[in-house]
Amino acid sequence: MSVMNQYEDHFLPAYSNYPQGRYVSILLVRRVESEAIFRTEGSGEPLSKEFVHAGLADDTVIQRVVISKRKQTAVERRTGRQLLRANDLLFKKDAKSEVCSLNRNNPCEKCMDCMIYGYAAGGGGAQKSRVVTDDAFSLHGAGAVTDLKQFNALFDNSTMRDPETGKASTSIGTDEYVKPESIFLDIETLRDVTADEFRYILGNILRSTRYGAISSRIGKVKNIVAGIVFSDCELFSNLELTQSVYDLLREGEPEPDFPLAADTVVTAVNAATETLAEQVVGQLTIVPSADLHALISEIGAFYRDGVAVTEMLENTSKIYGAQG
Ligand SMILES: [Zn+2]
């Protein structure tokens, strides 16, 4: 029996626009795998940072690097939309409209992307996103995970040559970057999704790798699913999780080691989840790690089967009443 079937009670049997109070929280360890800049390079803007408490155990305050929630879901939406486009499942709102696109703000209001991640249409229509996330904080303090580097400014065509004149770029800027093996913790909360919508969202997370500035190749990130929790309410915040994990990993030292092995962080996320879950007022089902590993393999195998993926996308696109 597939792992997804074992947990089918936690998914909606059919799409519904009315809140049903079924939440799926995906706990993510986002591990930076190359030097990363989470905004436009060469702009001279500093990285986004916030002063927050280091952990939950004492009053020490540190500065953490922040990745905005918008940046995170925008990347995953694009990954999903590529798949929808390849399967001809992005639609037109009406005969006069262009095909649904994120950049031009012309949502079709009936594709999986519009219906899952939400849209706000100029004409007043709106669908709230059923994938809710928050800003993600670096596990370590900004001092441990950032450095400065000189960059040649890139042109729009992502090269160092001006596409019109062919001349090489001479402008050099200093940019602050996030070091490889920096860790960001993030919880994506899915509200009232069907099993296939869950497959789509989780696939988008696992298949997204570039979170940096759009015009560069800087910013490779690996998303590791550390845990999945089903519940009838929202869990704790990204910041609480980050602080709790920080306390577990510093083991009496002022700061945890840097860099840390991904497995060490995942183990700490699981321990922190158990502790923080005790304060959540609601019914929680924490997926055991053996089931989680089996589920991730199942999703991997599913995405390697192009026919099954197309069939799932076509069937799901119909549940919203979409007609291409
Ligand atoms: Zn759409």
Side-chain angles (χ1 to χ4, degrees):
M1 186 174 171
S2 91
V3 184
M4 282 294 289
N5 290 347
Q6 289 176 45
Y7 291 94
E8 68 184 356
D9 287 355
H10 298 283
F11 299 105
L12 294 197
Y15 168 72
S16 166
N17 201 16
Y18 297 99
Q20 312 279 316
R22 282 188 229 186
Y23 294 85
V24 189
S25 298
I26 304 177
L27 281 66
L28 294 170
V29 172
R30 300 195 194 269
R31 184 174 182 267
V32 176
E33 303 219 308
S34 67
E35 293 171 355
I37 298 175
F38 295 109
R39 37 143 195 69
T40 315
E41 74 274 40
S43 63
E45 294 167 40
L47 283 166
S48 176
K49 293 177 202 164
E50 296 281 0
F51 281 103
V52 289
H53 282 98
L56 298 170
D58 64 43
D59 279 343
T60 315
V61 169
I62 59 169
Q63 209 175 15
R64 285 192 156 99
V65 179
V66 180
I67 314 179
S68 76
K69 56 183 174 188
R70 225 183 67 87
K71 184 126 247 165
Q72 302 176 72
T73 45
V75 170
E76 290 155 20
R77 287 185 80 160
R78 275 200 296 275
T79 301
R81 292 178 70 95
Q82 274 178 16
L83 201 55
L84 294 176
R85 191 174 302 113
N87 284 280
D88 240 350
L89 292 169
L90 290 173
F91 307 115
K92 293 179 178 180
K93 188 178 175 197
D94 49 47
K96 293 173 292 182
S97 307
E98 296 285 308
V99 173
C100 185
S101 89
L102 269 183
N103 299 334
R104 277 179 232 119
N105 195 25
N106 60 334
C108 69
E109 307 179 15
K110 51 195 169 187
C111 71
M112 284 181 76
D113 181 71
C114 284
M115 298 305 287
I116 292 172
Y117 291 94
Y119 62 83
Q127 166 86 13
K128 270 172 93 173
S129 179
R130 285 181 289 140
V131 181
V132 181
T133 187
D134 222 329
D135 293 348
F137 295 86
S138 59
L139 179 57
H140 295 81
V145 299
T146 61
D147 214 338
L148 286 173
K149 183 173 178 158
Q150 285 199 324
F151 282 93
N152 284 75
L154 297 177
F155 288 99
D156 287 348
N157 58 357
S158 303
T159 72
M160 286 171 50
R161 292 208 172 268
D162 186 322
E164 315 224 315
T165 65
K167 283 190 186 144
S169 163
T170 50
S171 88
I172 294 177
T174 305
D175 264 322
E176 203 175 15
Y177 70 94
V178 176
K179 292 181 189 171
E181 304 203 357
S182 299
I183 302 276
F184 291 79
L185 301 182
D186 184 37
I187 305 170
E188 287 200 16
T189 307
L190 323 184
R191 189 172 47 80
D192 298 327
V193 294
T194 68
D196 280 339
E197 287 177 326
F198 172 78
R199 286 187 183 93
Y200 177 74
I201 299 161
L202 187 55
N204 293 345
I205 293 170
L206 293 171
R207 295 173 338 101
S208 293
T209 53
R210 294 281 169 196
Y211 286 78
I214 291 171
S215 64
S216 77
R217 304 191 68 80
I218 297 170
K220 195 162 187 350
V221 173
K222 181 173 185 174
N223 291 321
I224 302 162
V225 179
I228 291 181
V229 183
F230 297 104
S231 59
D232 59 359
C233 60
E234 284 198 70
L235 304 183
F236 30 85
S237 69
N238 283 348
L239 184 57
E240 276 178 296
L241 178 65
T242 306
Q243 289 167 329
S244 179
V245 168
Y246 187 89
D247 283 339
L248 289 170
L249 290 171
R250 62 177 159 174
E251 297 172 324
E253 300 292 321
E255 256 211 301
D257 289 343
F258 181 84
L260 285 164
D263 282 352
T264 307
V265 180
V266 168
T267 305
V269 168
N270 288 324
T273 301
E274 294 281 349
T275 309
L276 292 170
E278 288 166 15
Q279 295 157 29
V280 177
V281 184
Q283 291 176 21
L284 271 63
T285 304
I286 301 175
V287 175
S289 63
D291 280 4
L292 180 66
H293 289 142
L295 175 70
I296 300 298
S297 311
E298 214 171 276
I299 295 287
F302 172 72
Y303 275 89
R304 283 189 287 279
D305 182 348
V307 177
V309 171
T310 295
E311 195 181 22
M312 179 278 275
L313 296 173
E314 283 176 351
N315 290 339
T316 309
S317 298
K318 284 180 198 146
I319 64 177
Y320 316 117
Q323 291 130 18

